[in-house]
Amino acid sequence: MHLNQIYLRDFRNYKELSLSFAPGVNLLIGDNAQGKTNLLEAIGYLGSGKSFRTQKGSELVALGAEFCQIEGEVYAQERAQSIKWTVFSGHNPRRLYRNGVKKRSAGDIRGVLQTVLFCPEDLTVLKGGGSGRRKLADQSLCQLRPNYEAALTEYNRILEQKSKILKDRYENPALLDILPEYNQRLCQVGALIISYRARFFEALGKAAAEYHQSFTNGKEQFALHYKTVSTVEDPFAPVSVLTQDLNDHLKSHYRAELESGLCLTGPHKDDFDIELNGLSVKSFGSQGQTRTATISIKLAQRILMGRETGELPVLLLDDVLSELDASRQDFILHQIKEGQVFITCCEPGKFTSLGKTITISGGQIIE
Ligand code: ATP
Ligand code: MG
């Protein structure tokens, strides 16, 4: 799949823009605050109806305008297709058209223009706390496996109810009687989640390791380790075995949970660790290494999604080139040969031999 053309009207700092793209690499060059990230945001929104920067649609509308338009010509599912969004600054609901026909929700354009984004905020994922890493994995897995999404939703719902029972244990001790039922279901659904994650992390780690190898000319060995509940010896074991493992862990933490009033055991605490040449990125990775490892993971996510749907999602890389040395920059600009890629960058003089260079200034394209 690729985006052939975009048309923007009153979108952020773009008054009016009509621009065509290469099916390969598109390098967006410009000084700070000229509209590079805004353009990536428009492309992401076009395909998903979601902005990676804001929940408020009104923020997308140029200051002073009543509505904005984001329109694109996409080649996907072996044919040309168009998507058009109109988003209002006031309370009017947004409008969506696919091939000129009005649609009700973003679900109606699912799979037409899928994107995978890397942005500077992603750099905190490998260095920061576990919740960011779980979110990254869950987002990907939910897109790949609808059954996983259903299991995760159920797990989170039970977990919330269990948390409430534990929190109110002194005011409402009678509720503790139903705790075993919640625990049993948590173990069953939790086991399913671990089973999905084990397979996902294995595939993700393998694909990311290949990218990372090429990125570093074979100098850095990338390894991803999935970390789950300590009683789980083999996350690939049958779900019935995993359920028993989780049960064992729960039993040994029963008193601690009652004392602390917290849900201490289960895959909601899962995490993963990346090692480069045997050293944890979280503790020892340099900025460039962390950036490279994060990009490798994003490229791997994209490949996994592509394998599933048969079409490689469009890659949006915001500000990846800074802090990378020349050979890692070269890999991004010249070696990502598959599918369509958008890369923003502040340095003039950068070019790509695989596509198109576009210079942006003040919400306009400089020819
Ligand atoms: P950098 O290199 O610093 O990341 P950039 O080219 O990515 O810069 P953008 O984030 O795309 O810059 O933002 C460009 C400008 O768009 C900003 O100056 C911002 O004030 C402006 N802008 C954002 N939202 C709106 C809006 N709704 N209306 C008008 N202008 C806006
Ligand atoms: Mg930017």
Side-chain angles (χ1 to χ4, degrees):
M1 70 177 52
H2 59 266
L3 177 63
N4 278 326
Q5 220 170 354
I6 200 162
Y7 171 78
L8 300 177
R9 190 176 153 193
D10 288 324
F11 180 88
R12 293 221 184 248
N13 71 333
Y14 290 96
K15 191 90 209 92
E16 192 157 17
L17 176 82
S18 181
L19 186 58
S20 56
F21 300 117
V25 179
N26 293 273
L27 188 59
L28 311 174
I29 294 189
D31 291 341
N32 293 134
Q34 301 307 307
K36 302 180 300 294
T37 305
N38 291 349
L39 186 53
L40 294 191
E41 183 185 29
I43 296 169
Y45 192 94
L46 188 65
S48 66
K50 279 193 213 139
S51 156
F52 55 75
R53 280 172 152 177
T54 177
Q55 308 261 30
K56 293 191 202 125
S58 58
E59 284 181 18
L60 306 178
V61 183
L63 296 174
E66 278 175 23
F67 62 89
C68 70
Q69 267 175 350
I70 310 156
E71 208 176 330
E73 294 289 328
V74 182
Y75 186 84
Q77 299 154 335
E78 296 176 348
R79 63 200 154 108
Q81 305 200 46
S82 72
I83 306 173
K84 177 176 164 183
W85 290 96
T86 308
V87 183
F88 295 88
S89 60
H91 292 296
N92 279 343
R94 63 186 184 173
R95 291 184 199 147
L96 166 65
Y97 296 84
R98 177 180 183 178
N99 302 327
V101 181
K102 196 156 190 250
K103 295 289 172 189
R104 280 183 32 202
S105 74
D108 295 316
I109 53 165
R110 190 179 297 231
V112 178
L113 178 63
Q114 284 188 305
T115 55
V116 170
L117 167 81
F118 167 90
C119 62
E121 289 77 46
D122 289 325
L123 291 172
T124 56
V125 169
L126 294 188
K127 288 280 189 188
S131 67
R133 286 183 291 279
R134 278 192 295 278
K135 197 169 148 202
L136 176 142
D138 283 340
Q139 277 174 346
S140 235
L141 249 170
C142 285
Q143 278 186 311
L144 289 167
R145 300 269 174 266
N147 289 344
Y148 176 81
E149 187 168 17
L152 190 64
T153 307
E154 185 183 356
Y155 185 88
N156 287 334
R157 188 173 48 80
I158 307 169
L159 192 67
E160 203 178 304
Q161 287 162 344
K162 178 178 164 182
S163 298
K164 215 167 151 3
I165 293 174
L166 285 175
K167 196 162 148 262
D168 298 343
R169 64 201 181 283
Y170 298 125
E171 291 84 47
N172 207 347
L175 281 179
L176 288 174
D177 291 344
I178 54 170
L179 200 55
E181 268 174 61
Y182 280 93
N183 278 340
Q184 194 192 2
R185 191 67 194 140
L186 265 188
C187 290
Q188 286 166 344
V189 186
L192 202 59
I193 287 174
I194 291 174
S195 185
Y196 273 113
R197 283 185 183 163
R199 285 158 183 80
F200 169 73
F201 279 124
E202 185 182 54
L204 187 78
K206 203 161 158 253
E210 281 172 28
Y211 279 115
H212 200 91
Q213 270 242 322
S214 320
F215 235 132
T216 59
N217 287 321
K219 288 197 198 98
E220 285 173 13
Q221 290 292 329
F222 175 110
L224 187 154
H225 303 286
Y226 171 36
K227 299 192 286 192
T228 185
V229 179
S230 62
T231 47
V232 173
E233 274 178 33
D234 175 16
F236 292 94
V239 172
S240 58
V241 175
L242 295 174
T243 306
Q244 191 52 51
D245 292 344
L246 292 186
N247 223 335
D248 293 344
H249 197 260
L250 230 156
K251 272 192 197 134
S252 66
H253 285 73
Y254 185 71
R255 287 198 72 81
E257 285 198 327
L258 278 184
E259 274 161 24
S260 66
L262 300 168
C263 301
L264 299 174
T265 142
H268 55 286
K269 304 230 163 228
D270 279 2
D271 201 350
F272 69 89
D273 191 25
I274 305 293
E275 283 182 3
L276 298 178
N277 290 341
L279 285 179
S280 156
V281 172
K282 189 169 164 35
S283 317
F284 300 104
S286 75
Q287 281 180 307
Q289 279 180 317
T290 309
R291 189 169 282 252
T292 314
T294 310
I295 299 164
S296 299
I297 292 174
K298 293 278 168 172
L299 291 170
Q301 280 185 321
R302 179 177 182 237
I303 279 282
L304 297 191
M305 278 166 70
R307 272 184 212 151
E308 204 56 36
T309 62
E311 292 194 272
L312 209 52
V314 172
L315 186 62
L316 308 176
L317 300 175
D318 196 14
D319 213 5
V320 288
L321 297 180
S322 50
E323 284 167 38
L324 293 183
D325 58 35
S327 75
R328 293 181 197 215
Q329 287 194 4
D330 178 72
F331 176 77
I332 294 213
L333 288 172
H334 300 108
Q335 305 301 319
I336 301 181
K337 293 208 173 69
E338 300 150 306
Q340 192 176 34
V341 187
F342 292 84
I343 307 170
T344 71
C345 158
C346 288
E347 296 159 70
K350 282 266 172 304
F351 72 97
T352 168
S353 57
L354 295 173
K356 187 167 176 176
T357 300
I358 297 162
T359 308
I360 301 176
S361 175
Q364 289 183 329
I365 305 306
I366 301 177
E367 294 301 337

